[in-house]
Amino acid sequence: MWGVATSSHQIEGQNDKNDWWAWEQSGNIRGGATSGKATDHLTRYAEDIELAAKLEVNSYRFSIEWSRLEPEEGQWNQKAFEWYDNLISECEKHNIVPMMTIHHFTSPTWFTDKGGFCNPDSPQIFERFVAKVVEHFGPRIPLWITLNEPNVFIIGGYIAQYMPPAVFSPQKASLASYHLLKCHVRAYEQIHSIKNRKGPFTHIPIQVGLANNMCDFVADRPWHPIERVIAKLVRHYFNTAWLDAVTGKRQHFGLPMQIPKANIVEEAKDRVTVDFIGVNYYTKAYVKWYPKDQNSETIKQVPLGLSFARKSEESSDMDWAIHPKGFKKIINKAASYNLPIYITENGIADKKDTQRPDFIYSHITEMAKAIYRGVNIKGYYHWSLLDNFEWVLGFGPRFGLYHVDYQTYERTATKSAGYYRTIIQGFRRGIPNDKKKIIKPDLEP
Ligand code: BGC
């Protein structure tokens, strides 16, 4: 599969019944921004799917907005269901296979008012939502992501405080992990109960995964024994805890002396509850012990810091190192689970679109090399189809293959859009055919 990825809150607009919307209104976003109309995808979805089709992708990963489908507990918004029906119809019209993400960071405010994923009833509440989604959309959707980056969601919400509920609570971090794993298992089961499939993609077996953010964590000072140990612990917690949990290995949601261990979810024990591993990969992270420099992301309650590039390294507009070698390591790690892999996100914030072509080329090269080594990678989804609302950073960072003018909402193809299409066409023609060198397409003027 060749695809592009988005998420509901980042592109749709007017999602005023979720926790992010509420949080944005209190000035938590850079520059005081709010998501507002986002990219106005709500009215422009047909045009956007046509733009995806122009890239010649054959799959589209998007998320459904729980707060639109169920704006009040137990009340279903028929219009919102129809809107996603129409979106799926546009995909089908262009022969684009939908990959549906059920939860991508945002939750309805009625749910978060009850404690969100810390509420002991949250798995039942989530399951009821998933049952409705599966009943309504299930027959037409072959590819599923239950949760987007639960690791980022937990760290952002309960430790680093850059996502709602933005509290520092290691206890809540483990409690929410425990409930989210239950949510995942229940969603996995619900999705596999789908019968009476319909639409043009019934020949594709139903496949369910989880999108795991994975980062190449390294010790900032490679000689420093504490930083080395911490980098290892962080890799263990951030990169592999969720993969271990959903593949029936050890459940280890916890960080020594920082985040208490979560209780064991019985229904996830000794069983594999994913059909594939979704990898979201962007960059590396230097792990620092008591950082003193200005460039580190720090949390006042924790003696750790992270930075995502050295000054000397080529990096994106968000100061994330461009690091395809890390992608190789991450793919190898994901491959160790012996399950198919989808690269569910990979992309770069590059407003001028000068770095993106090489970024795409170098990362796809690493992926292709892994395929030649025998790794079972079944798809690549570039993040993102369009520029969008980049969470706490607002509309500044631009990840889109299509540029969005936020005054007129006009979309313009970047050079990278054509470049990505050329690469896809090349692979479809059987290029690269040399196992050692992936032929680099020229960037058309
Ligand atoms: C998230 C996206 C986000 C992207 C770039 C991923 O962690 O799933 O929602 O826009 O990274 O920061």
Side-chain angles (χ1 to χ4, degrees):
M1 292 290 177
W2 288 100
V4 279
T6 63
S7 89
S8 56
H9 191 66
Q10 293 179 271
I11 61 168
E12 289 176 358
Q14 299 303 339
N15 279 324
D16 56 1
K17 298 207 163 29
N18 70 30
D19 54 342
W20 266 86
W21 181 280
W23 200 60
E24 289 155 27
Q25 310 312 308
S26 343
N28 286 301
I29 310 300
R30 182 179 280 180
T34 53
S35 58
K37 282 175 85 171
T39 71
D40 195 28
H41 178 65
L42 209 53
T43 56
R44 292 165 197 262
Y45 67 92
E47 176 191 345
D48 290 341
I49 299 304
E50 205 173 317
L51 293 178
K54 286 197 173 135
L55 301 172
E56 297 183 26
V57 297
N58 58 354
S59 190
Y60 175 49
R61 175 181 171 221
F62 62 96
S63 73
I64 45 171
E65 180 59 38
W66 183 4
S67 65
R68 281 215 289 136
L69 294 167
E70 191 180 3
E72 297 299 333
E73 184 166 12
Q75 283 179 23
W76 306 103
N77 174 0
Q78 233 17 72
K79 282 227 150 59
F81 278 89
E82 280 162 25
W83 186 88
Y84 287 108
D85 286 339
N86 293 338
L87 176 72
I88 298 164
S89 298
E90 290 304 315
C91 292
E92 291 175 345
K93 190 165 105 193
H94 292 284
N95 210 17
I96 290 178
V97 178
M99 176 185 268
M100 185 180 267
T101 305
I102 297 175
H103 189 271
H104 194 125
F105 296 161
T106 53
S107 308
T109 40
W110 62 258
F111 175 74
T112 49
D113 286 349
K114 293 172 135 196
F117 291 100
C118 290
N119 182 334
D121 293 334
S122 56
Q124 285 90 296
I125 298 172
F126 187 75
E127 187 180 11
R128 196 189 53 207
F129 168 59
V130 176
K132 190 81 181 171
V133 164
V134 159
E135 177 196 298
H136 189 94
F137 303 115
R140 294 167 84 190
I141 309 289
L143 303 176
W144 295 81
I145 300 285
T146 56
L147 306 173
N148 179 68
E149 301 184 348
N151 53 354
V152 171
F153 180 73
I154 298 280
I155 295 285
Y158 301 102
I159 303 292
Q161 306 148 67
Y162 59 84
M163 285 188 174
V167 292
F168 180 78
S169 172
Q171 287 73 16
K172 286 189 174 169
S174 29
L175 189 61
S177 304
Y178 169 74
H179 289 138
L180 276 163
L181 179 55
K182 283 181 169 243
C183 290
H184 163 78
V185 174
R186 290 173 187 209
Y188 178 80
E189 283 165 0
Q190 288 282 346
I191 297 166
H192 274 295
S193 71
I194 294 171
K195 289 184 197 73
N196 309 324
R197 293 188 59 198
K198 59 178 192 217
F201 304 124
T202 50
H203 60 288
I204 303 174
I206 288 185
Q207 296 155 66
V208 186
L210 174 134
N212 194 42
N213 187 302
M214 297 179 82
C215 188
D216 185 18
F217 293 99
V218 293
D220 185 48
R221 293 165 288 183
W223 49 266
H224 196 294
I226 299 179
E227 282 183 353
R228 286 168 69 123
V229 171
I230 296 173
K232 199 171 168 179
L233 288 173
V234 173
R235 275 199 294 273
H236 193 55
Y237 176 74
F238 191 88
N239 285 353
T240 58
W242 276 92
L243 297 185
D244 287 345
V246 297
T247 52
K249 299 200 166 63
R250 213 161 63 79
Q251 292 177 30
H252 54 92
F253 297 120
L255 256 184
M257 289 178 296
Q258 302 296 335
I259 303 174
K261 263 197 163 165
N263 289 340
I264 300 295
V265 173
E266 289 300 323
E267 56 265 46
K269 255 171 93 180
D270 302 321
R271 63 184 278 235
V272 180
T273 56
V274 284
D275 307 313
F276 66 85
I277 287 173
V279 172
N280 292 359
Y281 175 78
Y282 289 89
T283 189
K284 65 162 67 157
Y286 294 98
V287 178
K288 303 175 188 193
W289 177 242
Y290 283 106
K292 292 187 185 62
D293 59 310
Q294 299 289 307
N295 300 326
S296 301
E297 305 274 343
T298 51
I299 309 162
K300 96 171 165 286
Q301 298 90 340
V302 176
L304 296 181
L306 291 180
S307 69
F308 300 94
R310 297 213 192 281
K311 284 218 168 70
S312 56
E313 272 173 309
E314 200 194 346
S315 61
S316 74
D317 295 349
M318 280 162 73
D319 291 329
W320 291 0
I322 299 176
H323 182 49
K325 285 206 178 90
F327 196 29
K328 176 179 177 179
K329 289 196 223 169
I330 294 302
I331 289 174
N332 286 344
K333 183 76 216 168
S336 68
Y337 290 86
N338 287 318
L339 284 167
I341 297 171
Y342 282 89
I343 307 303
T344 37
E345 284 180 34
N346 176 235
I348 178 172
D350 175 23
K351 188 170 184 180
K352 296 200 189 107
D353 194 49
T354 50
Q355 298 168 305
R356 189 175 288 108
D358 261 354
F359 180 97
I360 293 177
Y361 170 73
S362 57
H363 286 76
I364 289 180
T365 295
E366 286 307 334
M367 178 179 78
K369 285 183 180 167
I371 294 171
Y372 284 129
R373 285 197 302 276
V375 178
N376 184 9
I377 301 179
K378 293 172 75 114
Y380 173 92
Y381 294 73
H382 192 78
W383 184 273
S384 180
L385 172 64
L386 305 168
D387 289 336
N388 57 51
F389 179 70
E390 178 54 25
W391 305 114
V392 73
L393 299 179
F395 291 101
R398 288 182 178 262
F399 277 90
L401 291 169
Y402 288 93
H403 171 90
V404 175
D405 177 330
Y406 288 116
Q407 303 297 317
T408 61
Y409 297 102
E410 195 188 332
R411 281 85 160 117
T412 319
T414 61
K415 282 195 172 185
S416 296
Y419 195 70
Y420 185 40
R421 180 180 51 227
T422 307
I423 290 185
I424 295 173
Q425 289 168 340
F427 272 84
R428 292 216 175 103
R429 282 200 308 271
I431 299 172
N433 47 18
D434 177 336
K435 298 193 179 182
K436 291 193 194 72
K437 196 172 176 298
I438 312 301
I439 297 157
K440 185 172 186 173
D442 290 330
L443 184 60
E444 282 162 26

